Amino acid sequence: MTTKVYGVCPHDCPDACGLITEVDNGRAVNFYADPHHPVTQGWLCAKVRPYLNHVYHPERLQHPLRRVGPKGGGQWERLSWDEAVAEIGDRWRAIIADYGPEAILPYSYSGTLGLVQMGVSSSRFWNRLGASQLERSICGAAAEMAVEATLGKRRSPQYAEVSHSRVVIIWGHNPVSTAPHFMPHLAEARKNGTQLVVIDPRRTRTAKQADWHLMPQPGSDGALALGLAHLIVREGWHDETWLANHTVGWPELRERLLDYPPERVAAITGLPIDAIEQLARLYATHTPSLIKIADGLQRNPNGGQTVRAICTLPAITGQYGRCGGGFMYSTSGYLQWDGTALHKWAKCPPPGRMVNMNRLGAALQGEVTDPPIKSLFVFGANPATSSPNTAAIVAGLKREDLFTVVHELFMTDTAVYADIVLPATSQLEQADLHKAYGTQVLAYNAPAIPPLAECKSNWEVMGLLASEMGFTDPWLHQDVDDVITELLAATAVFTPALEGITLTQLKAAHSIELRHEPDVPFADGRFPTASGKVELFSPALAQMGLDPLPGWTNKQDDGAPPTDNGAQRSADDSLWLITGAAHHFVSSTFAGQPDLLAREGEPFMEIHPADAAARGIATGDWVIVKNGRGACQLKAVVTDGIRPGVVASPKGRWGVIEGGHVNYTTSDALGDMAGQSTYHSNRVWIQKRSEQ
Ligand SMILES: Nc1nc2c(c(=O)[nH]1)N[C@H]1C(S)=C(S)[C@@H](COP(=O)(O)OP(=O)(O)OC[C@H]3O[C@@H](n4cnc5c(=O)[nH]c(N)nc54)[C@H](O)[C@@H]3O)O[C@H]1N2
Ligand SMILES: Nc1nc2c(c(=O)[nH]1)N[C@H]1C(S)=C(S)[C@@H](COP(=O)(O)OP(=O)(O)OC[C@H]3O[C@@H](n4cnc5c(=O)[nH]c(N)nc54)[C@H](O)[C@@H]3O)O[C@H]1N2
Ligand code: SF4
Ligand SMILES: [Mo]
């Protein structure tokens, strides 16, 4: 007897697809898209289609392991869950006695986006323990802060609304790989004449489809946006009435725009003046025109102000609230879980100090003191592959006095350095609730199969750790469905779209498309900022000591050049490495799966013919990519699909113990807002491997 179980894709992707698993005798035998899910529409991306290979991968961790031998030595012995949890408890009690609970740092992020297995599991137990708080700034923190400062909340049109757009600008974003279910809606619109512009230094899969692809210098987009605004005002294409009614700070911004004449913007962005003029005309005179971004665009030292600058364009042209116009970024602000129910702060000690996740290596090596970090608990994250400045992280993980526990499905680059490894369930083996960040669908993930061997879910582990630490609070020991029921009820009180929606209903319907008012974001002309208007000038940012107006500054990677034979390399030889999403992986997830690795091909780096010629590099050559932080080896692809002076290599490859991957070179400097990561501001020096 085969049964069908409905689930949700848990990976870091705005689409949050609906899944169906067919189960026979406790084993998943078939896996495919839910044909009735409003976003998924019956198809899954290349990454998740072969999911059963992921779930039944022969290298799945199945039992708790204890390190024997040196850290990173790869020698393990099995132990029982009881022994593992007791050992963690003993080590933690000793650490707490000597240093206090803040010496323990939980590190989790995007392995799953589920409410219970990530949100609640990253919060309640750790708050109760009084552990350090993780500043969750690796992905889109600056954009989130910028959007909230400008518009009040993250609200975004439905994908289907693009059918009303005459022009779409996809700006520093690659939805063919990273938000694939937007693409059919765009394709449909284009049949009716919608024009597509892509702004990206790399000719991505998305850029290949564009009517027009502009390749600016990385980190220059804020200047480009303000330059477009300058031209729109110069030509009188702006909407004075809308600006007067719906914004604060227009006179101040208007003055700021004088700093961004096309000549200066051309020099900063490396784009021709006539291209900037043509783009301003296209955007402002072919309305409704939609700007769509994600988070890659803002992973540089100007990221927050860049997003602020881009957010001004729909305001200047009066397009917020217009169907087919406006700004498509994230729908996360529509449904925000009740914080009191989620975090249980009232029942916990005061929050521990914050540790910025982008500074993990530095934090482990002494940047964080009083108390120092003595224990790290990693789950749903793989910092030794995905977090910046890997060499510093690995040096920290090797500390003999650091007690590291990693809860994982696979022996990742991070798990290799653990003292204790705990086996984790996959999405097919656990229950959860998922809201999407690109759409408005809410869906329940029912467990399809029993946990493999001794695998346990994050929330189960939190319960075990709570018992070990003597915490009997019932909210640490609820089952998943009870947590969901509690959060749905608490959140419905202030979220009209959730009224009357129960877990029973979600289980029966599998997914529910929530209806938020107004249907087109901001169509009621109300913005949930302090002023109720679009804050072009932001008093909130001013109060934080930040520039209250969008601007561009010439900030870039200040990392040291490498030294060769004792001599430091000249800054003139450097190239700018950008490391966006791989088509076949989600961050480092799936990069251990042979079928997807084969499809992605060898670890490659795209380089412009002029830069390749200057270094004697041809397609197929192995090159060493390095800077003062570290190095990795990649295979060159010589192509004019990358801007001169820039090289590109996708993120996510595993290094397998210091073999190197791109994050050995990336910077752990923080961006202009919210402690943002700055991966794409990365100066590297490149040479052919044979020259070594
Ligand atoms: N297939 C796949 N999908 C994913 C992921 C994945 O790893 N693989 N990751 C998921 C995650 S965690 C996230 S946050 C999202 C991210 O989604 P996106 O933001 O769409 O993805 P990225 O590839 O990080 O960045 C988008 C583009 O920004 C470009 N870029 C870099 N710097 C600049 C710049 O200064 N200016 C401009 N104009 N462009 C720039 C890169 O070349 C890249 O093509 O995707 C999610 N979806
Ligand atoms: N160079 C470069 N690096 C980047 C970026 C970039 O643009 N450039 N982008 C950054 C971005 S946007 C992000 S969001 C981060 C993502 O960084 P991370 O959040 O560290 O994501 P992953 O590397 O995919 O690691 C997730 C891990 O969680 C595990 N996992 C999955 N499900 C579960 C579960 O239910 N329980 C447990 N315990 N484990 C589970 C997976 O096996 C996987 O090893 O990467 C960042 N890294
Ligand atoms: S990664 Fe995105 S597109 Fe792929 S199945 Fe998951 S939600 Fe859908
Ligand atoms: Mo991300």
Side-chain angles (χ1 to χ4, degrees), residues 115-197:
L115 169 66
V116 181
Q117 304 297 351
M118 184 52 68
V120 179
S121 295
S122 297
S123 179
R124 286 186 185 177
F125 166 72
W126 306 103
N127 297 347
R128 178 70 179 78
L129 186 66
S132 281
Q133 298 285 307
L134 189 69
E135 189 175 357
R136 307 175 80 80
S137 49
I138 206 166
C139 178
E144 291 167 15
M145 184 166 161
V147 169
E148 282 161 17
T150 316
L151 305 175
K153 275 191 189 299
R154 283 171 280 159
R155 291 181 183 163
S156 191
Q158 314 258 22
Y159 288 171
E161 232 184 73
V162 72
S163 65
H164 301 274
S165 310
R166 289 177 69 204
V167 169
V168 177
I169 301 179
I170 296 183
W171 201 325
H173 170 35
N174 183 16
V176 169
S177 299
T178 65
H181 291 84
F182 171 70
M183 295 311 289
H185 296 282
L186 179 60
E188 207 45 45
R190 295 182 73 195
K191 280 191 203 149
N192 299 321
T194 301
Q195 295 184 63
L196 174 62
V197 182

Side-chain angles (χ1 to χ4, degrees), residues 12 109-110 138-140 295 299 437 587 651:
D12 193 336
Y109 202 66
S110 72
I138 206 166
C139 178
D295 290 314
R299 285 188 205 115
Y437 69 88
S587 296
K651 66 173 170 176

Side-chain angles (χ1 to χ4, degrees), residues 10-12 54 107-112 117 138-140 295-296 299 357 378-383 385-388 407-410 412 424-427 430 456-458 579-581 586-589 649-652 654 662-663 666 677 679-680:
H11 296 289
D12 193 336
H54 182 67
Y107 194 104
S108 63
Y109 202 66
S110 72
T112 162
Q117 304 297 351
I138 206 166
C139 178
D295 290 314
R299 285 188 205 115
M357 65 191 302
V378 181
F379 64 105
N382 181 13
T385 307
S386 285
S387 302
H407 181 214
E408 250 300 345
L409 283 86
F410 294 99
T412 59
T425 43
S426 76
Q427 182 75 342
Q430 63 198 20
K456 290 191 190 295
S457 74
N458 297 348
T579 50
V586 182
S587 296
S588 76
T589 302
S649 179
K651 66 173 170 176
W654 295 9
V662 291
N663 279 331
T666 53
S677 65
Y679 291 98
H680 297 318

Side-chain angles (χ1 to χ4, degrees), residues 19 21 81 168 248 264 331 346 353 381 447 491-492 533 669:
L19 311 173
T21 308
W81 271 97
V168 177
V248 293
R264 177 169 181 238
T331 53
R353 53 92 194 272
T491 308
K533 297 184 176 188

Side-chain angles (χ1 to χ4, degrees), residues 353-364:
R353 53 92 194 272
M354 278 274 189
V355 176
N356 188 312
M357 65 191 302
N358 297 314
R359 301 287 302 166
L360 179 63
L364 292 178

